[in-house]
Amino acid sequence: MSNRRVSAVVLAAGLGTRMKSDHPKVLHPVAGRPLLAHVLDAADAGGADPVVTVTGPEMAAVQDLAAPRPCAVQHERLGTAHAVAAARDALESHGGPGDDVLVLFGDTPLITPATLEAMLAARRGADDPAVVVLGFRPADPGRYGRLVTDAAGRLERIVEVHDATPEETTIELCNGGVMCVDGAVLFDLLDRVDNTNAKGEYYLTDLVALARGDGRACAVVEGDATELQGVDSRAGLAAAEAAMQDRLRAAAMAGGATLTAPETVFLARDTVLGRDTIVEPHVVFGPGVTVADGATVHAFSHLEGAHVESGAAVGPYARLRPGTRVERDARVGNFVETKKATIEAGAKVPHLTYAGDATVGEKANVGAGTITCNYDGFNKGTTRIGAGAFIGSNTALVAPVSVGDAAVVGAGSTITSDVPADALAVARGRQETREGGAARLRARKQAERDKE
Ligand code: UD1
Ligand code: MG
């Protein structure tokens, strides 16, 4: 790219009333990340700096998300042009608007850097368009602004649906909302936008007619309707999630992961699946998961904040919580929950275990039903299981505690003090067996019944 300076303004002052939520709309997540974060990522990747987010008043949580990028506050919601104008001081104090100003909506999470780059490229067109508009042809043009072109197909103006004539509403090419504006004229154009229209708002879309009136060209880049779908409601949020999941699944498969039933696998925006990983049906990846080449995630598992190394296998029905590392060729099996746990190379935790704040050493074997008792109601404690150790089934390891390398713990033990390397520890009631005792018991009970 050239040495042009690109900035971006992301509009996020909307209350999102139709979400019926106590939280600002743009903080609702898609693929484990707030809507706004997806848009900010795209703006960053498109080369914009600064990226200014325009919030409403009292939206500290939105500002925290945007940080360290600057924010501006639009105190009254008077329209999209008014919202961009609210970013003026923030842009000026971060080096000015630059050559190209991208305007994005914070509730449109599917926009891609490639589309932004296409718009920036169009801004460099021979006729030096002052405004580049991202157009699209939705199945139902409904409430979208319509792009009015002249006989030669050049963009003349944008008409909002409430202000359109019946003929204008039949126009199929609509305004997707994203614009790229010449930074040298942006604020001059904005200063001239008025609110004499059906909604009494300052429309950003008026920039096109104003620029044309100044003798400048304007251009349209046609985009994909999927990328432009905005979120206004819970149903819209679910639709955006579905579209994002399709995209993430396709990318994972293109990268060499096998998804047996991709439509049942849910990925986070940052999920990393290596080559030749196999992900069976009905797996959910929360944020922060990496799966290295050649690992397997069996069906019905849920992973979050976890790393799975090459050759390792987890599930079916495994629950890996944040801070989990499953190292090379290790195995975390059925109905096992882990949290801040390292399962070292070749170790096996195959069934019905909770391993929290724990290390399971290389090639150790943890029997079914083993529980690390990591919380005593006041403090968390850690558990260390040494390399090659064997923990018998149904053992409670009361942390802080350690079991040394190659030690053996008998089944059903409650281990409260450290077990040295190579030791055998058994901590359970001793078994008492009385020969013939069951027969005597039955005879006594029968005699009592006969007396009644
Ligand atoms: C806008 C466009 C329309 C386009 C459509 C695409 C205008 C006038 N109309 O209409 O041509 O087809 O988007 O989705 O621009 N916002 C603020 N402050 C405001 C007003 C809006 O921050 O004062 C934010 C909203 O939170 C939202 C975005 O700007 O993220 C768009 O606003 P919205 O009211 O949804 O515009 P539309 O009527 O959909
Ligand atoms: Mg809208």
Side-chain angles (χ1 to χ4, degrees), residues 252-300:
M253 292 188 282
T258 291
L259 308 187
T260 315
E263 69 283 6
T264 67
V265 173
F266 290 82
L267 299 152
R269 181 74 178 77
D270 63 353
T271 304
V272 178
L273 302 179
R275 285 165 72 100
D276 294 316
T277 54
I278 295 174
V279 179
E280 291 183 355
H282 300 286
V283 172
V284 176
F285 293 94
V289 178
T290 50
V291 181
D293 295 355
T296 300
V297 182
H298 293 289
F300 300 102

mmCIF file of all heavy atoms in Angstrom, residues 252-300:
data_model
loop_
_atom_site.group_PDB
_atom_site.id
_atom_site.type_symbol
_atom_site.label_atom_id
_atom_site.label_comp_id
_atom_site.label_asym_id
_atom_site.label_seq_id
_atom_site.Cartn_x
_atom_site.Cartn_y
_atom_site.Cartn_z
ATOM 1 N N ALA A 252 -11.457 -22.925 8.915
ATOM 2 C CA ALA A 252 -10.783 -24.018 9.630
ATOM 3 C C ALA A 252 -10.539 -25.191 8.685
ATOM 4 O O ALA A 252 -9.452 -25.784 8.670
ATOM 5 C CB ALA A 252 -11.624 -24.465 10.831
ATOM 6 N N MET A 253 -11.527 -25.517 7.873
ATOM 7 C CA MET A 253 -11.376 -26.647 6.941
ATOM 8 C C MET A 253 -10.365 -26.296 5.849
ATOM 9 O O MET A 253 -9.537 -27.134 5.473
ATOM 10 C CB MET A 253 -12.736 -27.047 6.371
ATOM 11 C CG MET A 253 -13.639 -27.656 7.444
ATOM 12 S SD MET A 253 -15.180 -28.358 6.802
ATOM 13 C CE MET A 253 -16.140 -26.888 6.543
ATOM 14 N N ALA A 254 -10.410 -25.046 5.381
ATOM 15 C CA ALA A 254 -9.438 -24.626 4.360
ATOM 16 C C ALA A 254 -8.017 -24.721 4.916
ATOM 17 O O ALA A 254 -7.063 -24.950 4.174
ATOM 18 C CB ALA A 254 -9.740 -23.203 3.895
ATOM 19 N N GLY A 255 -7.878 -24.579 6.237
ATOM 20 C CA GLY A 255 -6.569 -24.664 6.879
ATOM 21 C C GLY A 255 -6.125 -26.081 7.182
ATOM 22 O O GLY A 255 -5.053 -26.281 7.763
ATOM 23 N N GLY A 256 -6.950 -27.065 6.841
ATOM 24 C CA GLY A 256 -6.505 -28.452 6.986
ATOM 25 C C GLY A 256 -7.083 -29.194 8.174
ATOM 26 O O GLY A 256 -6.591 -30.269 8.528
ATOM 27 N N ALA A 257 -8.125 -28.662 8.805
ATOM 28 C CA ALA A 257 -8.780 -29.388 9.900
ATOM 29 C C ALA A 257 -9.963 -30.171 9.338
ATOM 30 O O ALA A 257 -10.657 -29.680 8.445
ATOM 31 C CB ALA A 257 -9.269 -28.416 10.958
ATOM 32 N N THR A 258 -10.165 -31.375 9.855
ATOM 33 C CA THR A 258 -11.366 -32.134 9.490
ATOM 34 C C THR A 258 -12.450 -31.821 10.505
ATOM 35 O O THR A 258 -12.255 -32.019 11.707
ATOM 36 C CB THR A 258 -11.082 -33.654 9.511
ATOM 37 O OG1 THR A 258 -10.202 -33.960 8.433
ATOM 38 C CG2 THR A 258 -12.359 -34.465 9.357
ATOM 39 N N LEU A 259 -13.585 -31.324 10.030
ATOM 40 C CA LEU A 259 -14.758 -31.157 10.888
ATOM 41 C C LEU A 259 -15.774 -32.160 10.359
ATOM 42 O O LEU A 259 -16.298 -31.986 9.267
ATOM 43 C CB LEU A 259 -15.327 -29.736 10.817
ATOM 44 C CG LEU A 259 -14.382 -28.550 11.042
ATOM 45 C CD1 LEU A 259 -15.181 -27.250 11.108
ATOM 46 C CD2 LEU A 259 -13.580 -28.704 12.307
ATOM 47 N N THR A 260 -16.017 -33.188 11.114
ATOM 48 C CA THR A 260 -16.868 -34.273 10.615
ATOM 49 C C THR A 260 -18.263 -33.758 10.276
ATOM 50 O O THR A 260 -18.820 -34.110 9.239
ATOM 51 C CB THR A 260 -16.993 -35.373 11.691
ATOM 52 O OG1 THR A 260 -15.706 -35.624 12.233
ATOM 53 C CG2 THR A 260 -17.570 -36.650 11.123
ATOM 54 N N ALA A 261 -18.816 -32.941 11.155
ATOM 55 C CA ALA A 261 -20.143 -32.343 10.915
ATOM 56 C C ALA A 261 -20.001 -30.861 11.225
ATOM 57 O O ALA A 261 -20.317 -30.413 12.325
ATOM 58 C CB ALA A 261 -21.202 -32.993 11.796
ATOM 59 N N PRO A 262 -19.493 -30.086 10.255
ATOM 60 C CA PRO A 262 -19.126 -28.703 10.566
ATOM 61 C C PRO A 262 -20.270 -27.878 11.132
ATOM 62 O O PRO A 262 -20.058 -27.005 11.957
ATOM 63 C CB PRO A 262 -18.643 -28.136 9.221
ATOM 64 C CG PRO A 262 -18.982 -29.143 8.191
ATOM 65 C CD PRO A 262 -19.191 -30.457 8.872
ATOM 66 N N GLU A 263 -21.493 -28.169 10.685
ATOM 67 C CA GLU A 263 -22.633 -27.351 11.137
ATOM 68 C C GLU A 263 -22.914 -27.526 12.624
ATOM 69 O O GLU A 263 -23.668 -26.753 13.211
ATOM 70 C CB GLU A 263 -23.879 -27.677 10.291
ATOM 71 C CG GLU A 263 -24.481 -29.053 10.487
ATOM 72 C CD GLU A 263 -23.725 -30.198 9.796
ATOM 73 O OE1 GLU A 263 -22.641 -29.963 9.225
ATOM 74 O OE2 GLU A 263 -24.219 -31.342 9.853
ATOM 75 N N THR A 264 -22.287 -28.498 13.275
ATOM 76 C CA THR A 264 -22.518 -28.727 14.711
ATOM 77 C C THR A 264 -21.347 -28.242 15.571
ATOM 78 O O THR A 264 -21.369 -28.393 16.791
ATOM 79 C CB THR A 264 -22.733 -30.223 14.997
ATOM 80 O OG1 THR A 264 -21.508 -30.931 14.754
ATOM 81 C CG2 THR A 264 -23.830 -30.818 14.132
ATOM 82 N N VAL A 265 -20.312 -27.716 14.924
ATOM 83 C CA VAL A 265 -19.122 -27.267 15.662
ATOM 84 C C VAL A 265 -19.169 -25.745 15.779
ATOM 85 O O VAL A 265 -19.388 -25.052 14.782
ATOM 86 C CB VAL A 265 -17.841 -27.710 14.930
ATOM 87 C CG1 VAL A 265 -16.598 -27.107 15.576
ATOM 88 C CG2 VAL A 265 -17.750 -29.234 14.913
ATOM 89 N N PHE A 266 -18.981 -25.223 16.971
ATOM 90 C CA PHE A 266 -19.032 -23.774 17.195
ATOM 91 C C PHE A 266 -17.647 -23.271 17.582
ATOM 92 O O PHE A 266 -17.037 -23.776 18.513
ATOM 93 C CB PHE A 266 -20.086 -23.437 18.254
ATOM 94 C CG PHE A 266 -21.464 -23.676 17.710
ATOM 95 C CD1 PHE A 266 -22.007 -24.949 17.707
ATOM 96 C CD2 PHE A 266 -22.172 -22.651 17.117
ATOM 97 C CE1 PHE A 266 -23.246 -25.195 17.137
ATOM 98 C CE2 PHE A 266 -23.417 -22.880 16.545
ATOM 99 C CZ PHE A 266 -23.957 -24.155 16.558
ATOM 100 N N LEU A 267 -17.186 -22.312 16.813
ATOM 101 C CA LEU A 267 -15.819 -21.817 16.965
ATOM 102 C C LEU A 267 -15.835 -20.401 17.516
ATOM 103 O O LEU A 267 -16.805 -19.659 17.334
ATOM 104 C CB LEU A 267 -15.138 -21.819 15.590
ATOM 105 C CG LEU A 267 -15.046 -23.211 14.958
ATOM 106 C CD1 LEU A 267 -15.029 -23.130 13.445
ATOM 107 C CD2 LEU A 267 -13.808 -23.941 15.445
ATOM 108 N N ALA A 268 -14.752 -20.017 18.183
ATOM 109 C CA ALA A 268 -14.578 -18.619 18.570
ATOM 110 C C ALA A 268 -13.755 -17.944 17.482
ATOM 111 O O ALA A 268 -13.088 -18.601 16.676
ATOM 112 C CB ALA A 268 -13.879 -18.519 19.916
ATOM 113 N N ARG A 269 -13.801 -16.625 17.476
ATOM 114 C CA ARG A 269 -13.092 -15.862 16.458
ATOM 115 C C ARG A 269 -11.599 -16.212 16.454
ATOM 116 O O ARG A 269 -10.958 -16.187 15.426
ATOM 117 C CB ARG A 269 -13.292 -14.372 16.765
ATOM 118 C CG ARG A 269 -12.668 -13.409 15.813
ATOM 119 C CD ARG A 269 -13.460 -13.379 14.515
ATOM 120 N NE ARG A 269 -12.894 -12.418 13.581
ATOM 121 C CZ ARG A 269 -11.799 -12.648 12.872
ATOM 122 N NH1 ARG A 269 -11.167 -13.791 12.977
ATOM 123 N NH2 ARG A 269 -11.354 -11.728 12.040
ATOM 124 N N ASP A 270 -11.060 -16.547 17.631
ATOM 125 C CA ASP A 270 -9.617 -16.785 17.740
ATOM 126 C C ASP A 270 -9.253 -18.264 17.830
ATOM 127 O O ASP A 270 -8.115 -18.596 18.160
ATOM 128 C CB ASP A 270 -9.059 -16.030 18.960
ATOM 129 C CG ASP A 270 -9.655 -16.527 20.275
ATOM 130 O OD1 ASP A 270 -10.592 -17.352 20.249
ATOM 131 O OD2 ASP A 270 -9.179 -16.086 21.336
ATOM 132 N N THR A 271 -10.188 -19.162 17.550
ATOM 133 C CA THR A 271 -9.862 -20.591 17.620
ATOM 134 C C THR A 271 -8.814 -20.931 16.560
ATOM 135 O O THR A 271 -8.954 -20.529 15.404
ATOM 136 C CB THR A 271 -11.129 -21.447 17.363
ATOM 137 O OG1 THR A 271 -12.133 -21.066 18.283
ATOM 138 C CG2 THR A 271 -10.830 -22.937 17.509
ATOM 139 N N VAL A 272 -7.785 -21.673 16.975
ATOM 140 C CA VAL A 272 -6.754 -22.099 16.026
ATOM 141 C C VAL A 272 -6.763 -23.624 15.968
ATOM 142 O O VAL A 272 -6.554 -24.287 16.989
ATOM 143 C CB VAL A 272 -5.354 -21.605 16.460
ATOM 144 C CG1 VAL A 272 -4.287 -22.106 15.495
ATOM 145 C CG2 VAL A 272 -5.319 -20.080 16.548
ATOM 146 N N LEU A 273 -7.019 -24.169 14.792
ATOM 147 C CA LEU A 273 -6.999 -25.626 14.596
ATOM 148 C C LEU A 273 -5.886 -25.941 13.615
ATOM 149 O O LEU A 273 -5.870 -25.420 12.496
ATOM 150 C CB LEU A 273 -8.338 -26.119 14.036
ATOM 151 C CG LEU A 273 -9.592 -25.811 14.878
ATOM 152 C CD1 LEU A 273 -10.838 -26.353 14.180
ATOM 153 C CD2 LEU A 273 -9.478 -26.412 16.270
ATOM 154 N N GLY A 274 -4.947 -26.796 14.019
ATOM 155 C CA GLY A 274 -3.817 -27.136 13.158
ATOM 156 C C GLY A 274 -4.210 -28.079 12.030
ATOM 157 O O GLY A 274 -5.365 -28.515 11.925
ATOM 158 N N ARG A 275 -3.214 -28.378 11.201
ATOM 159 C CA ARG A 275 -3.443 -29.339 10.102
ATOM 160 C C ARG A 275 -3.718 -30.715 10.677
ATOM 161 O O ARG A 275 -3.132 -31.105 11.682
ATOM 162 C CB ARG A 275 -2.174 -29.454 9.257
ATOM 163 C CG ARG A 275 -1.917 -28.295 8.350
ATOM 164 C CD ARG A 275 -0.489 -28.355 7.878
ATOM 165 N NE ARG A 275 -0.295 -29.441 6.918
ATOM 166 C CZ ARG A 275 -0.250 -29.252 5.609
ATOM 167 N NH1 ARG A 275 -0.390 -28.040 5.111
ATOM 168 N NH2 ARG A 275 -0.060 -30.262 4.800
ATOM 169 N N ASP A 276 -4.584 -31.447 9.991
ATOM 170 C CA ASP A 276 -4.893 -32.819 10.389
ATOM 171 C C ASP A 276 -5.460 -32.934 11.795
ATOM 172 O O ASP A 276 -5.395 -34.002 12.395
ATOM 173 C CB ASP A 276 -3.662 -33.724 10.224
ATOM 174 C CG ASP A 276 -3.277 -33.866 8.762
ATOM 175 O OD1 ASP A 276 -4.190 -34.066 7.936
ATOM 176 O OD2 ASP A 276 -2.077 -33.747 8.460
ATOM 177 N N THR A 277 -5.986 -31.863 12.331
ATOM 178 C CA THR A 277 -6.770 -32.033 13.560
ATOM 179 C C THR A 277 -8.116 -32.601 13.134
ATOM 180 O O THR A 277 -8.592 -32.350 12.018
ATOM 181 C CB THR A 277 -7.012 -30.692 14.294
ATOM 182 O OG1 THR A 277 -7.591 -29.778 13.376
ATOM 183 C CG2 THR A 277 -5.734 -30.108 14.835
ATOM 184 N N ILE A 278 -8.704 -33.379 14.029
ATOM 185 C CA ILE A 278 -10.036 -33.920 13.761
ATOM 186 C C ILE A 278 -10.958 -33.397 14.851
ATOM 187 O O ILE A 278 -10.662 -33.543 16.041
ATOM 188 C CB ILE A 278 -10.023 -35.460 13.751
ATOM 189 C CG1 ILE A 278 -9.166 -35.944 12.571
ATOM 190 C CG2 ILE A 278 -11.448 -36.021 13.659
ATOM 191 C CD1 ILE A 278 -8.962 -37.437 12.524
ATOM 192 N N VAL A 279 -12.031 -32.787 14.422
ATOM 193 C CA VAL A 279 -13.026 -32.301 15.380
ATOM 194 C C VAL A 279 -14.326 -33.030 15.068
ATOM 195 O O VAL A 279 -14.919 -32.844 14.003
ATOM 196 C CB VAL A 279 -13.207 -30.775 15.277
ATOM 197 C CG1 VAL A 279 -14.260 -30.304 16.275
ATOM 198 C CG2 VAL A 279 -11.878 -30.061 15.518
ATOM 199 N N GLU A 280 -14.724 -33.866 15.991
ATOM 200 C CA GLU A 280 -15.945 -34.645 15.801
ATOM 201 C C GLU A 280 -17.182 -33.767 16.034
ATOM 202 O O GLU A 280 -17.060 -32.631 16.467
ATOM 203 C CB GLU A 280 -15.932 -35.848 16.753
ATOM 204 C CG GLU A 280 -14.859 -36.870 16.362
ATOM 205 C CD GLU A 280 -14.874 -38.106 17.245
ATOM 206 O OE1 GLU A 280 -15.649 -38.152 18.230
ATOM 207 O OE2 GLU A 280 -14.101 -39.021 16.949
ATOM 208 N N PRO A 281 -18.371 -34.310 15.807
ATOM 209 C CA PRO A 281 -19.585 -33.491 15.924
ATOM 210 C C PRO A 281 -19.813 -32.914 17.325
ATOM 211 O O PRO A 281 -19.360 -33.458 18.318
ATOM 212 C CB PRO A 281 -20.699 -34.476 15.576
ATOM 213 C CG PRO A 281 -20.037 -35.473 14.683
ATOM 214 C CD PRO A 281 -18.650 -35.632 15.226
ATOM 215 N N HIS A 282 -20.504 -31.779 17.336
ATOM 216 C CA HIS A 282 -21.007 -31.169 18.575
ATOM 217 C C HIS A 282 -19.895 -30.790 19.536
ATOM 218 O O HIS A 282 -19.892 -31.202 20.701
ATOM 219 C CB HIS A 282 -22.040 -32.082 19.252
ATOM 220 C CG HIS A 282 -23.225 -32.355 18.382
ATOM 221 N ND1 HIS A 282 -24.199 -31.414 18.149
ATOM 222 C CD2 HIS A 282 -23.552 -33.440 17.642
ATOM 223 C CE1 HIS A 282 -25.089 -31.919 17.319
ATOM 224 N NE2 HIS A 282 -24.715 -33.143 16.986
ATOM 225 N N VAL A 283 -18.971 -30.027 19.038
ATOM 226 C CA VAL A 283 -17.899 -29.508 19.888
ATOM 227 C C VAL A 283 -18.047 -27.987 19.929
ATOM 228 O O VAL A 283 -18.331 -27.358 18.916
ATOM 229 C CB VAL A 283 -16.516 -29.913 19.334
ATOM 230 C CG1 VAL A 283 -15.397 -29.219 20.101
ATOM 231 C CG2 VAL A 283 -16.350 -31.440 19.403
ATOM 232 N N VAL A 284 -17.851 -27.409 21.115
ATOM 233 C CA VAL A 284 -17.941 -25.959 21.286
ATOM 234 C C VAL A 284 -16.574 -25.425 21.720
ATOM 235 O O VAL A 284 -16.004 -25.904 22.698
ATOM 236 C CB VAL A 284 -19.006 -25.594 22.347
ATOM 237 C CG1 VAL A 284 -19.026 -24.088 22.594
ATOM 238 C CG2 VAL A 284 -20.385 -26.082 21.912
ATOM 239 N N PHE A 285 -16.060 -24.487 20.952
ATOM 240 C CA PHE A 285 -14.809 -23.818 21.309
ATOM 241 C C PHE A 285 -15.135 -22.420 21.814
ATOM 242 O O PHE A 285 -15.630 -21.584 21.069
ATOM 243 C CB PHE A 285 -13.905 -23.684 20.079
ATOM 244 C CG PHE A 285 -13.380 -24.999 19.549
ATOM 245 C CD1 PHE A 285 -14.044 -25.669 18.531
ATOM 246 C CD2 PHE A 285 -12.219 -25.556 20.070
ATOM 247 C CE1 PHE A 285 -13.566 -26.875 18.036
ATOM 248 C CE2 PHE A 285 -11.734 -26.760 19.585
ATOM 249 C CZ PHE A 285 -12.412 -27.423 18.571
ATOM 250 N N GLY A 286 -14.848 -22.153 23.087
ATOM 251 C CA GLY A 286 -14.918 -20.791 23.602
ATOM 252 C C GLY A 286 -13.648 -20.060 23.221
ATOM 253 O O GLY A 286 -12.784 -20.606 22.535
ATOM 254 N N PRO A 287 -13.496 -18.823 23.680
ATOM 255 C CA PRO A 287 -12.297 -18.050 23.322
ATOM 256 C C PRO A 287 -11.003 -18.694 23.826
ATOM 257 O O PRO A 287 -10.998 -19.387 24.840
ATOM 258 C CB PRO A 287 -12.528 -16.710 24.025
ATOM 259 C CG PRO A 287 -13.992 -16.629 24.250
ATOM 260 C CD PRO A 287 -14.462 -18.032 24.462
ATOM 261 N N GLY A 288 -9.923 -18.446 23.076
ATOM 262 C CA GLY A 288 -8.587 -18.782 23.562
ATOM 263 C C GLY A 288 -8.174 -20.237 23.428
ATOM 264 O O GLY A 288 -7.418 -20.732 24.264
ATOM 265 N N VAL A 289 -8.651 -20.918 22.404
ATOM 266 C CA VAL A 289 -8.266 -22.328 22.234
ATOM 267 C C VAL A 289 -7.344 -22.494 21.033
ATOM 268 O O VAL A 289 -7.612 -21.979 19.952
ATOM 269 C CB VAL A 289 -9.506 -23.230 22.048
ATOM 270 C CG1 VAL A 289 -9.086 -24.680 21.818
ATOM 271 C CG2 VAL A 289 -10.425 -23.120 23.254
ATOM 272 N N THR A 290 -6.255 -23.238 21.252
ATOM 273 C CA THR A 290 -5.405 -23.643 20.136
ATOM 274 C C THR A 290 -5.279 -25.158 20.171
ATOM 275 O O THR A 290 -5.080 -25.747 21.231
ATOM 276 C CB THR A 290 -3.998 -23.019 20.224
ATOM 277 O OG1 THR A 290 -3.479 -23.242 21.530
ATOM 278 C CG2 THR A 290 -4.026 -21.528 19.948
ATOM 279 N N VAL A 291 -5.412 -25.767 19.013
ATOM 280 C CA VAL A 291 -5.279 -27.213 18.881
ATOM 281 C C VAL A 291 -4.175 -27.440 17.850
ATOM 282 O O VAL A 291 -4.282 -26.983 16.711
ATOM 283 C CB VAL A 291 -6.606 -27.861 18.425
ATOM 284 C CG1 VAL A 291 -6.462 -29.368 18.327
ATOM 285 C CG2 VAL A 291 -7.745 -27.507 19.392
ATOM 286 N N ALA A 292 -3.116 -28.114 18.267
ATOM 287 C CA ALA A 292 -1.958 -28.286 17.385
ATOM 288 C C ALA A 292 -2.212 -29.385 16.356
ATOM 289 O O ALA A 292 -3.174 -30.158 16.460
ATOM 290 C CB ALA A 292 -0.724 -28.600 18.218
ATOM 291 N N ASP A 293 -1.322 -29.447 15.361
ATOM 292 C CA ASP A 293 -1.471 -30.403 14.253
ATOM 293 C C ASP A 293 -1.703 -31.826 14.770
ATOM 294 O O ASP A 293 -1.029 -32.284 15.683
ATOM 295 C CB ASP A 293 -0.192 -30.420 13.398
ATOM 296 C CG ASP A 293 0.055 -29.088 12.697
ATOM 297 O OD1 ASP A 293 -0.809 -28.194 12.788
ATOM 298 O OD2 ASP A 293 1.122 -28.964 12.065
ATOM 299 N N GLY A 294 -2.639 -32.492 14.145
ATOM 300 C CA GLY A 294 -2.808 -33.915 14.398
ATOM 301 C C GLY A 294 -3.433 -34.272 15.733
ATOM 302 O O GLY A 294 -3.353 -35.418 16.159
ATOM 303 N N ALA A 295 -4.052 -33.336 16.416
ATOM 304 C CA ALA A 295 -4.770 -33.666 17.658
ATOM 305 C C ALA A 295 -6.231 -33.974 17.328
ATOM 306 O O ALA A 295 -6.717 -33.603 16.261
ATOM 307 C CB ALA A 295 -4.687 -32.502 18.645
ATOM 308 N N THR A 296 -6.896 -34.658 18.246
ATOM 309 C CA THR A 296 -8.295 -35.023 18.021
ATOM 310 C C THR A 296 -9.168 -34.497 19.151
ATOM 311 O O THR A 296 -8.827 -34.657 20.323
ATOM 312 C CB THR A 296 -8.450 -36.563 17.951
ATOM 313 O OG1 THR A 296 -7.643 -37.032 16.865
ATOM 314 C CG2 THR A 296 -9.895 -36.983 17.722
ATOM 315 N N VAL A 297 -10.280 -33.882 18.768
ATOM 316 C CA VAL A 297 -11.274 -33.471 19.757
ATOM 317 C C VAL A 297 -12.517 -34.308 19.472
ATOM 318 O O VAL A 297 -13.175 -34.126 18.445
ATOM 319 C CB VAL A 297 -11.584 -31.967 19.669
ATOM 320 C CG1 VAL A 297 -12.593 -31.572 20.752
ATOM 321 C CG2 VAL A 297 -10.303 -31.142 19.805
ATOM 322 N N HIS A 298 -12.793 -35.237 20.374
ATOM 323 C CA HIS A 298 -13.937 -36.115 20.177
ATOM 324 C C HIS A 298 -15.242 -35.385 20.499
ATOM 325 O O HIS A 298 -15.244 -34.315 21.105
ATOM 326 C CB HIS A 298 -13.793 -37.362 21.052
ATOM 327 C CG HIS A 298 -12.661 -38.260 20.640
ATOM 328 N ND1 HIS A 298 -12.693 -39.015 19.491
ATOM 329 C CD2 HIS A 298 -11.450 -38.481 21.209
ATOM 330 C CE1 HIS A 298 -11.547 -39.695 19.379
ATOM 331 N NE2 HIS A 298 -10.765 -39.385 20.410
ATOM 332 N N ALA A 299 -16.321 -36.032 20.109
ATOM 333 C CA ALA A 299 -17.656 -35.415 20.132
ATOM 334 C C ALA A 299 -18.054 -34.875 21.505
ATOM 335 O O ALA A 299 -17.595 -35.347 22.537
ATOM 336 C CB ALA A 299 -18.688 -36.442 19.682
ATOM 337 N N PHE A 300 -18.902 -33.854 21.465
ATOM 338 C CA PHE A 300 -19.563 -33.301 22.663
ATOM 339 C C PHE A 300 -18.585 -32.733 23.679
ATOM 340 O O PHE A 300 -18.822 -32.821 24.878
ATOM 341 C CB PHE A 300 -20.469 -34.349 23.333
ATOM 342 C CG PHE A 300 -21.569 -34.837 22.428
ATOM 343 C CD1 PHE A 300 -21.479 -36.066 21.796
ATOM 344 C CD2 PHE A 300 -22.681 -34.043 22.187
ATOM 345 C CE1 PHE A 300 -22.480 -36.498 20.943
ATOM 346 C CE2 PHE A 300 -23.682 -34.467 21.333
ATOM 347 C CZ PHE A 300 -23.585 -35.697 20.704
#
